């Protein structure tokens, strides 16, 4: 906010004394708009001078930009809903962004469901790859956490969470050529890339609707983590391709279960 200051001053003697010569020229200036106050103490004579601040009689209003909150808030008050089923917090949140968030929630839940199926497969007694079972169980929980985070954000912006159907995943992951460990990890890599693509689509929807808050949320909470997950699973795929289906797959599973240092 800025106000345009006055261009002239008027000097008044506060104690009825005479003006010094050095102030006489200033006192002869006429005030066009606004005078600025200034006190000058005079310890020896006991009186001083005061420049008074006042609005000029010939000026109708102050120039410059003035923020009037009680005036500008009126248009916002008109937008506050009165119906009980309508969100009070919603502001500059389009229907397209709301629908895109609900779609991403569905993506996260579907990926979580697939990872949960992988956990169940590798936890079988005749498969018994506990490291892979633990990895996919944690991955399932993580993806479900992403869905819940999106649901919380949807409510925060005043949208409505609408859960869609979740497709039934595969329950068998054995592969005659690749083996079950490599096949499942390649499938996980494909799903992480697909999730990243869906997140980028959500980001583009937010950008198209000039929703800076949603773009910041996607960038801060998801995109960096998603790239890191793709990198990690890509390395797992590369390692499983090297070790093969037999003892090498078991050694890789032990690495996931106990950590790299424990099997080095």
């Amino acid at each position: 906010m800025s106000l345009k200051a006055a261009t002239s001053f008027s000097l008044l003697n506060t104690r009825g004394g005479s003006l010094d010569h050095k102030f006489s020229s200033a006192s002869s200036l006429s005030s066009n708009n606004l005078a600025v106050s200034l006190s000058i103490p005079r310890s020896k004579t006991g009186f001083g001078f005061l420049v008074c601040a006042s609005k000029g009689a010939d000026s109708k209003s102050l120039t410059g930009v003035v923020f009037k909150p009680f005036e500008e808030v009126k248009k916002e008050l008109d937008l506050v809903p009165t119906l009980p089923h309508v969100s009070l917090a919603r502001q500059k949140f389009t229907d397209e962004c709301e629908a895109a968030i609900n779609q991403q929630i569905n993506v996260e839940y579907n990926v979580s469901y697939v990872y949960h199926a992988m956990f169940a497969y590798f936890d079988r007694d005749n498969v018994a790859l506990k490291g892979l079972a633990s990895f996919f169980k944690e991955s399932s929980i993580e993806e479900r956490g992403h869905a819940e985070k999106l649901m919380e954000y949807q409510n925060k912006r005043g949208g409505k969470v609408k859960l869609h159907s979740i497709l039934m995943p595969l329950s068998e992951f054995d592969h005659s050529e690749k083996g079950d460990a490599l096949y499942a990890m390649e499938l996980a890599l494909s799903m992480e890339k697909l999730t990243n693509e869906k997140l980028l689509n959500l980001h583009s929807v937010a950008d198209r609707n000039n929703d800076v808050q949603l773009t910041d949320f996607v960038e801060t909470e998801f995109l960096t983590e998603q790239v890191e997950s793709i990198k990690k699973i890509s390395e797992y795929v590369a390692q499983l391709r090297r070790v093969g289906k037999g003892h090498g797959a078991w050694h890789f599973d032990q690495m996931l279960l106990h950590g790299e240092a424990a099997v080095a």
Side-chain angles (χ1 to χ4, degrees):
M1 178 176 70
S2 62
L3 291 175
K4 195 171 183 180
T7 57
S8 61
F9 303 87
S10 60
L11 297 178
L12 300 178
N13 187 339
T14 61
R15 295 290 300 274
S18 60
L19 296 176
D20 286 348
H21 174 70
K22 61 182 177 180
F23 294 113
S24 61
S25 60
S27 63
S28 63
L29 296 175
S30 61
S31 175
N32 294 326
N33 193 1
L34 182 68
V36 180
S37 63
L38 173 65
S39 61
I40 306 173
R42 299 293 295 272
S43 60
K44 292 183 178 180
T45 61
F47 64 88
F49 296 100
L50 180 67
V51 182
C52 296
S54 61
K55 182 180 175 183
D58 58 343
S59 179
K60 295 183 179 180
S61 63
L62 297 176
T63 60
V65 179
V66 180
F67 174 54
K68 300 179 180 179
F70 293 104
E71 291 294 327
E72 296 188 21
V73 80
K74 289 180 180 179
K75 61 182 180 181
E76 297 296 336
L77 285 173
D78 293 336
L79 298 177
V80 175
T82 57
L83 298 176
H85 63 277
V86 179
S87 170
L88 296 171
R90 188 166 185 143
Q91 183 185 28
K92 300 186 183 300
F93 187 53
T94 65
D95 293 340
E96 186 180 12
C97 289
E98 180 181 356
I101 291 175
N102 283 330
Q103 290 175 2
Q104 188 63 37
I105 291 171
N106 183 254
V107 169
E108 302 290 346
Y109 269 127
N110 271 282
V111 174
S112 174
Y113 207 31
V114 174
Y115 283 151
H116 222 174
M118 291 180 177
F119 152 71
Y121 171 83
F122 287 105
D123 192 52
R124 294 177 185 174
D125 66 288
N126 59 331
V127 179
L129 292 175
K130 296 294 185 178
L132 285 162
S134 177
F135 173 77
F136 287 123
K137 182 178 181 179
E138 292 175 1
S139 299
S140 177
I141 294 172
E142 181 181 354
E143 298 303 325
R144 188 164 67 251
H146 290 170
E148 292 176 357
K149 186 180 293 186
L150 286 161
M151 293 168 73
E152 292 173 357
Y153 182 81
Q154 183 82 290
N155 288 334
K156 187 184 296 184
R157 291 297 303 276
K160 292 183 178 180
V161 174
K162 294 182 179 180
L163 299 179
H164 305 296
S165 300
I166 300 177
L167 298 178
M168 184 181 68
L170 298 173
S171 58
E172 302 294 332
F173 298 95
D174 194 15
H175 194 279
S176 57
E177 296 180 4
K178 299 178 180 180
D180 49 10
L182 176 57
Y183 175 65
M185 198 62 71
E186 287 182 346
L187 182 59
L189 177 59
S190 299
M191 286 191 298
E192 291 296 324
K193 289 184 176 181
L194 177 62
T195 302
N196 187 54
E197 184 179 341
K198 297 296 184 180
L199 285 169
L200 293 174
N201 179 69
L202 174 60
H203 186 278
S204 66
V205 171
D207 187 60
R208 184 167 63 250
N209 287 274
N210 298 318
D211 195 326
V212 180
Q213 292 167 321
L214 180 54
T215 56
D216 177 69
F217 172 72
V218 174
E219 292 171 1
T220 304
E221 300 293 336
F222 293 99
L223 293 184
T224 300
E225 181 182 341
Q226 197 63 34
V227 171
E228 292 173 350
S229 296
I230 292 173
K231 173 64 162 56
K232 180 178 69 174
I233 296 179
S234 296
E235 292 176 346
Y236 288 167
V237 169
Q239 292 168 3
L240 283 168
R241 286 177 177 176
R242 288 179 179 273
V243 300
K245 297 185 294 183
H247 182 268
W250 177 86
H251 190 76
F252 176 86
D253 181 77
Q254 292 299 300
M255 182 269 294
L256 288 180
L257 189 62
H258 303 292
E260 296 181 7
V263 294

